C-alpha cells in the first residue's frame, strides 16, 4: 500500500480558493497512491477563527463534492482533511474520507475541541463518537489533532477493528515534541499503523509544526516531513498488523480495569 500525506503550508495572505487551487495542483502528482491525506481545516486555516462561520459548508456542500471528484480521478482513498461543517445551526470540525470511486465512506466530527489559546471550543460543537471504517486494506480509524492526547478514543477504534489511524492536524511547532511522542504512542499501544498530516506555515501568528508522520506498530517512523511544505510518502503492508500482534500479543494481555 502506498500512502501520501500532503503537508500544506498555511499563510494569511491566501484565500480559501487560492489554497484549494494550490492543493489541487499538488494532488495531480499523486496518481498511483492508495491513500492520500490532507490536514485540518486547511482551506480556511485552523487559526483563522473569524472566517469559520462565513466559510462553513454543509456535509454535502462544494468542498465535499470537489474532493469526491478528486478521489475518483486519483482512484485513491482521499482523507480530505477537515473543514468547518454547518448543520442545523451548529458548526463542527469535520473530516471526510472518500473511497476510490469518490463515494464518501466516513465523516468524523472532532471530539476533543482545543480551547488552550484557541476559539475552536467556543465556536464549534464537539462530535460524540469515534469513527472506524472498512477499506479494501482493512479498517481505519479517523482522528483530528488534539484527539491524539486522549488514548481512550484510539482504544475504542482498536476495539472496533482498526489496523491503521489517519490523523488530520494543525498542530503547532511550540509543542512539536508532544506531537512526535503521541504519534508514536498511539501506534505502539494499539499495534496499529498511524499516518498523520499536519500543516506548516504561519497562521494568525501561530507557527505550525509540520513533521507529518508514518509510524509502524513498533513505533518506527517510516517517513516524516520537516517544517516546510512537502509530500510525505511511504509504502507498507497493512496485513503485517496481524502478524505483529501475533508475534507480540500485548493486546491479548489487556486486563479490564473498572
Amino acid at each position: 500500500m502506498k500512502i501520501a500525506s500532503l503537508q500544506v503550508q498555511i499563510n494569511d495572505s491566501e484565500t480559501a480558493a487560492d489554497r484549494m487551487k494550490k492543493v489541487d495542483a499538488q494532488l495531480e502528482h499523486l496518481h498511483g497512491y492508495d491513500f492520500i491525506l490532507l490536514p485540518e481545516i486547511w482551506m480556511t486555516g485552523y487559526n483563522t477563527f473569524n472566517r469559520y462561520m462565513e466559510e462553513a459548508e454543509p456535509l454535502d456542500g462544494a468542498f465535499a463534492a470537489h474532493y469526491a471528484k478528486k478521489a475518483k480521478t486519483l482512484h485513491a482513498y482521499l482523507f480530505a482533511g477537515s473543514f468547518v461543517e454547518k448543520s442545523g445551526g451548529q458548526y463542527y470540525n469535520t473530516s471526510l474520507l472518500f473511497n476510490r470511486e469518490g463515494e464518501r465512506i466516513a465523516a468524523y466530527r472532532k471530539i476533543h475541541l482545543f480551547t488552550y489559546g484557541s476559539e475552536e471550543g467556543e465556536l464549534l460543537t464537539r462530535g460524540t463518537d469515534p469513527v472506524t471504517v472498512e477499506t479494501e486494506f482493512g479498517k481505519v480509524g479517523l482522528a483530528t489533532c488534539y484527539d491524539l492526547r486522549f488514548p481512550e478514543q484510539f482504544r475504542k477504534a482498536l476495539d472496533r477493528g482498526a489496523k491503521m489511524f489517519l490523523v488530520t492536524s494543525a498542530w503547532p511547532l511550540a509543542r512539536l515534541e508532544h506531537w512526535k511522542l503521541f504519534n508514536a504512542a498511539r501506534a505502539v499501544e494499539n499495534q496499529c499503523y498511524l499516518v498523520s498530516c499536519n500543516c506548516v506555515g504561519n497562521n494568525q501568528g501561530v507557527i505550525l509544526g509540520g513533521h507529518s508522520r508514518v509510524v509502524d506498530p513498533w513505533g518506527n517512523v517510516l517517513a516524516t516531513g520537516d517544517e516546510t511544505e512537502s509530500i510525505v510518502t511511504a509504502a507498507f503492508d497493512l496485513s503485517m498488523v496481524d502478524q505483529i500482534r501475533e508475534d507480540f500479543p500485548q493486546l491479548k494481555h489487556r486486563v479490564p480495569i473498572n
Side-chain angles (χ1 to χ4, degrees):
M1 179 174 70
K2 293 177 63 180
I3 199 157
S5 183
L6 207 167
Q7 188 165 273
V8 180
Q9 178 169 303
I10 310 297
N11 64 64
D12 298 331
S13 64
E14 290 179 326
T15 66
D18 291 336
R19 201 166 291 125
M20 286 184 72
K21 184 176 180 180
K22 176 181 71 173
V23 165
D24 287 353
Q26 293 170 326
L27 287 173
E28 286 303 309
H29 298 288
L30 297 179
H31 288 270
Y33 283 85
D34 298 299
F35 275 86
I36 301 169
L37 286 75
L38 291 169
E40 180 184 15
I41 311 190
W42 59 269
M43 185 175 66
T44 297
Y46 172 82
N47 295 287
T48 312
F49 304 113
N50 64 322
R51 283 168 42 188
Y52 272 25
M53 305 299 104
E54 64 180 278
E55 296 188 3
E57 297 185 16
L59 196 58
D60 58 354
F63 178 88
H66 184 83
Y67 287 101
K69 290 179 182 178
K70 285 295 180 185
K72 186 174 183 179
T73 299
L74 292 164
H75 193 59
Y77 287 90
L78 177 59
F79 188 40
S82 69
F83 70 107
V84 179
E85 176 202 351
K86 182 179 181 179
S87 176
Q90 293 182 305
Y91 298 84
Y92 302 89
N93 183 340
T94 301
S95 56
L96 303 175
L97 178 63
F98 301 97
N99 66 13
R100 296 185 190 273
E101 288 70 47
E103 300 166 331
R104 191 185 77 226
I105 58 173
Y108 166 64
R109 290 171 170 170
K110 185 178 181 181
I111 293 173
H112 299 94
L113 301 180
F114 195 51
T115 59
Y116 180 78
S118 168
E119 296 177 37
E120 182 186 22
E122 300 170 17
L123 298 172
L124 306 185
T125 300
R126 74 175 187 87
T128 57
D129 194 38
V131 169
T132 307
V133 62
E134 189 70 68
T135 74
E136 68 191 78
F137 299 97
K139 284 191 176 181
V140 301
L142 308 184
T144 304
C145 201
Y146 196 42
D147 289 332
L148 277 169
R149 290 185 180 271
F150 303 92
E152 58 271 22
Q153 177 172 337
F154 292 82
R155 198 62 113 188
K156 177 70 74 174
L158 170 71
D159 289 341
R160 293 177 179 178
K163 295 185 178 179
M164 177 169 67
F165 301 127
L166 304 180
V167 182
T168 185
S169 191
W171 197 281
L173 183 64
R175 291 178 289 280
L176 179 60
E177 293 309 312
H178 293 185
W179 165 260
K180 294 177 180 179
L181 171 65
F182 294 134
N183 271 249
R186 300 295 86 87
V188 171
E189 68 197 7
N190 295 294
Q191 294 187 303
C192 286
Y193 282 90
L194 184 147
V195 184
S196 61
C197 187
N198 197 25
C199 302
V200 295
N202 185 329
N203 182 208
Q204 298 295 313
V206 177
I207 308 300
L208 299 161
H211 291 264
S212 302
R213 320 213 107 188
V214 181
V215 186
D216 75 10
W218 291 113
N220 300 309
V221 178
L222 304 183
T224 183
D226 53 18
E227 291 149 37
T228 62
E229 187 166 76
S230 59
I231 299 173
V232 178
T233 64
F236 56 86
D237 183 353
L238 195 59
S239 68
M240 287 299 297
V241 168
D242 292 329
Q243 186 61 56
I244 290 169
R245 290 176 179 176
E246 186 65 30
D247 291 344
F248 190 75
Q250 70 180 48
L251 297 175
K252 295 179 181 179
H253 302 155
R254 290 169 62 189
V255 178
I257 299 174
N258 297 320

